[in-house]
Amino acid sequence: MNARPDTSNDLMHWNAFREGSESAFAALYSAHYRHLINYGRRFGADQATAEDAIHDVFIDLWKYRQTLTQPQSVQSYLLKAFRNRLVTQLAERQRRFAETDVEEQFGLLPVEPSAEDRLLEDKLNQEQHEHIQSALTTLSPRQQEILYLRYFTDLSYDDICAVMGITYNTARTQLYQALTALRKRLQTNWPVLLLLLGLLMNR
Amino acid sequence: MKPQEYYATFETIDLARDPDFQAWVVAPTSETNQFWESVKALYPQQQSTIEQARLLVMGLESTWQELPESAVVESFQRLRQKQLAQQPEPKRLFFRPVFYRYAAAVTLLLLAGLGWWLYEGATSPVEYKTAYGQIQTVTLPDGSVVTLNANSILQMSGDWQTEGRREVHLTGEAFFDVSKKPLGKRMPFVVHTGAADVVVLGTRFNVNTRRTRTQVVLQEGKVKLALQQQPDVLMQPGDLVETTGGKTALRRERVDAGRYVAWRDNLLVLEEERLAEIVQRLNDEYGLTVSITNKNLLNEPFTGSVPANKPELLIRLIAETFRLRIDKQDNQIVLSNYKNE
């Protein structure tokens, strides 16, 4: 498991930064940079583009720090501000796309593993990886995005809705449908076989 | 590691989010292999959930790109450079004739503003206010530092220092670290609350005015409590004095002052506190309405500490300690006994 950055001191840093603390500002930045870069990549942004959007968000935060209030979740606030910037910037760059088209680009394609990692992985594992990855990419972009946010952050459904600009019910239904679709694609027969075997042996 | 029963009814996504489960998928050891095999054996109905969650973790983890700390630091430096570059440099403006026209207009506006500010600023009060769950530190013009607890208001007049007294009004709870005036200028610092005035000469103390009472805990130095219908009280460090303002007797006792100011370190410390009081504090400081259906429990003491920004954790702890069920109804949290007990 990749160690996820620690966001548990967010509120403390947020309040200190609003008071003008530069070290708290830096702490907020480094607690969230990796999350934001990774999230941005899912929309097809390269690292430089994602970083530009992150910088825009943080420059504004510093500029308007005295008028900021305390959000329910700092992470949700940052992801949302970042997502809005990035989607607008990408839409401008690609010109012919509307912002909703950019949102439709969200995808869970894996990061290219290094050659070394490839060698280390045994064959069975590799097959399973390909299996799940192809299953993930058959989900709709929104389903993939909800799944991504639910897995990589501790955001509540309410916060996820706020980030993506969708309603609570949509989020719940989409995640439910995503998991059902995944379950169907991933269903292998061996658990059923084992169950049958178990039943037979109990007789 | 948690016991096997913990995973008896997990859903796929919740299992995939469990850190112990993730650790097993990404880097299995013989010990964790054994553990998860035993979960599968104990709860056969969970086998397909476990398998799906395992694949989900594999798939999602491969989409995460780890970045070294150095990359984060460098990125922050680039941000700093952009911030510096954005600072305006109005050099050339000076020599254009249009500059003088604007300058005259701006000067007039500034003068008018300054006049208004001098006039208004002298009389209009200054107010600091905190929301539920928020703590704010305020430095006053004389260097005194006030930490405001959640849902509290600190007010003072605009001509604060010129008047010869340093006076503030407090609603809610705050910790004061009052600076001594230099050069032997003795200016009393007074905190007004509904029921009492706290008169200070350089000291550290906590004032809580929630509900109808006023409670003062002195950590260091000396303060005098000026009461409405009773003689003044001189407090020593470690003293707690509580009054409701009327003729009713004071409550005075020796306490561990640190406990009463723990909220400043973002900690909610409860020591033998009655559930009824905890319910009130949750309402005062977080705006949460909690009700306990079994009134017999309200006098039960509870001891524990949680991070101040996690009141829901406290509620869960209480529910688990007294074996209660948590139900959310509208904006209310109801703690009730389980039906079968």
Side-chain angles (χ1 to χ4, degrees), chain B residues 64-130:
Chain B
W64 179 269
Q65 189 191 27
E66 192 48 34
L67 296 162
E69 191 58 35
S70 60
V72 183
V73 173
E74 282 161 22
S75 164
F76 187 70
Q77 282 163 355
R78 286 193 289 274
L79 170 71
R80 273 277 179 260
Q81 281 159 9
K82 275 191 206 171
Q83 280 182 310
L84 284 176
Q86 280 188 9
Q87 310 236 319
E89 286 177 67
K91 258 187 206 159
R92 280 168 58 224
L93 199 59
F94 268 98
F95 303 100
R96 293 208 214 133
V98 72
F99 166 78
Y100 295 100
R101 245 192 285 163
Y102 282 127
V106 168
T107 311
L108 264 178
L109 271 174
L110 277 178
L111 278 175
L114 186 68
W116 179 84
W117 182 74
L118 283 174
Y119 176 78
E120 274 299 304
T123 48
S124 66
V126 182
E127 183 178 288
Y128 299 94
K129 206 171 167 180
T130 51

Side-chain angles (χ1 to χ4, degrees), chain B residues 73-272:
Chain B
V73 173
E74 282 161 22
S75 164
F76 187 70
Q77 282 163 355
R78 286 193 289 274
L79 170 71
R80 273 277 179 260
Q81 281 159 9
K82 275 191 206 171
Q83 280 182 310
L84 284 176
Q86 280 188 9
Q87 310 236 319
E89 286 177 67
K91 258 187 206 159
R92 280 168 58 224
L93 199 59
F94 268 98
F95 303 100
R96 293 208 214 133
V98 72
F99 166 78
Y100 295 100
R101 245 192 285 163
Y102 282 127
V106 168
T107 311
L108 264 178
L109 271 174
L110 277 178
L111 278 175
L114 186 68
W116 179 84
W117 182 74
L118 283 174
Y119 176 78
E120 274 299 304
T123 48
S124 66
V126 182
E127 183 178 288
Y128 299 94
K129 206 171 167 180
T130 51
Y132 285 122
Q134 184 199 7
I135 293 174
Q136 193 189 354
T137 304
V138 179
T139 307
L140 303 179
D142 69 332
S144 299
V145 178
V146 183
T147 313
L148 264 183
N149 201 350
N151 183 28
S152 302
I153 303 171
L154 183 77
Q155 291 163 310
M156 52 199 226
S157 65
D159 54 352
W160 205 57
Q161 270 182 310
T162 53
E163 234 182 14
R165 306 187 60 154
R166 300 179 285 170
E167 289 184 87
V168 296
H169 290 262
L170 174 73
T171 320
E173 180 168 19
F175 181 85
F176 292 86
D177 189 346
V178 175
S179 74
K180 282 193 178 131
K181 287 304 281 183
L183 306 165
K185 268 192 181 178
R186 293 190 51 167
M187 259 203 207
F189 187 104
V190 185
V191 182
H192 298 283
T193 74
D197 291 344
V198 189
V199 186
V200 195
L201 291 158
T203 195
R204 291 156 60 80
F205 60 100
N206 195 65
V207 182
N208 186 338
T209 72
R210 306 227 190 253
R211 309 279 155 183
T212 51
R213 51 149 211 200
T214 291
Q215 180 201 70
V216 181
V217 176
L218 180 62
Q219 195 175 30
E220 193 183 300
K222 226 180 206 179
V223 304
K224 185 177 80 182
L225 269 188
L227 301 161
Q228 283 155 1
Q229 304 185 24
Q230 293 184 57
D232 293 353
V233 181
L234 206 60
M235 289 178 68
Q236 301 295 326
D239 273 352
L240 172 151
V241 176
E242 195 173 282
T243 171
T244 48
K247 284 180 186 160
T248 45
L250 291 176
R251 186 161 83 89
R252 182 169 187 172
E253 57 180 292
R254 302 282 300 163
V255 296
D256 167 18
R259 189 190 131 194
Y260 288 84
V261 299
W263 58 267
R264 293 172 64 226
D265 306 322
N266 276 311
L267 263 186
L268 195 57
V269 181
L270 303 162
E271 251 174 73
E272 295 284 301

Side-chain angles (χ1 to χ4, degrees), chain B residues 9-51:
Chain B
T9 57
F10 260 55
E11 299 278 338
T12 313
I13 183 72
D14 299 320
L15 194 55
R17 297 176 74 216
D18 185 79
D20 287 337
F21 184 80
Q22 291 172 357
W24 170 59
V25 175
V26 177
T29 64
S30 61
E31 192 195 347
T32 51
N33 275 337
Q34 208 177 358
F35 175 84
W36 288 101
E37 285 308 322
S38 69
V39 176
K40 281 189 202 169
L42 275 168
Y43 306 101
Q45 75 279 9
Q46 288 291 75
Q47 281 181 358
S48 62
T49 305
I50 291 175
E51 184 54 23

Side-chain angles (χ1 to χ4, degrees), chain A residues 11-26:
Chain A
L11 279 184
M12 198 179 79
H13 289 145
W14 182 268
N15 286 329
F17 131 74
R18 285 194 306 170
E19 297 279 318
S21 160
E22 300 208 3
S23 63
F25 184 63

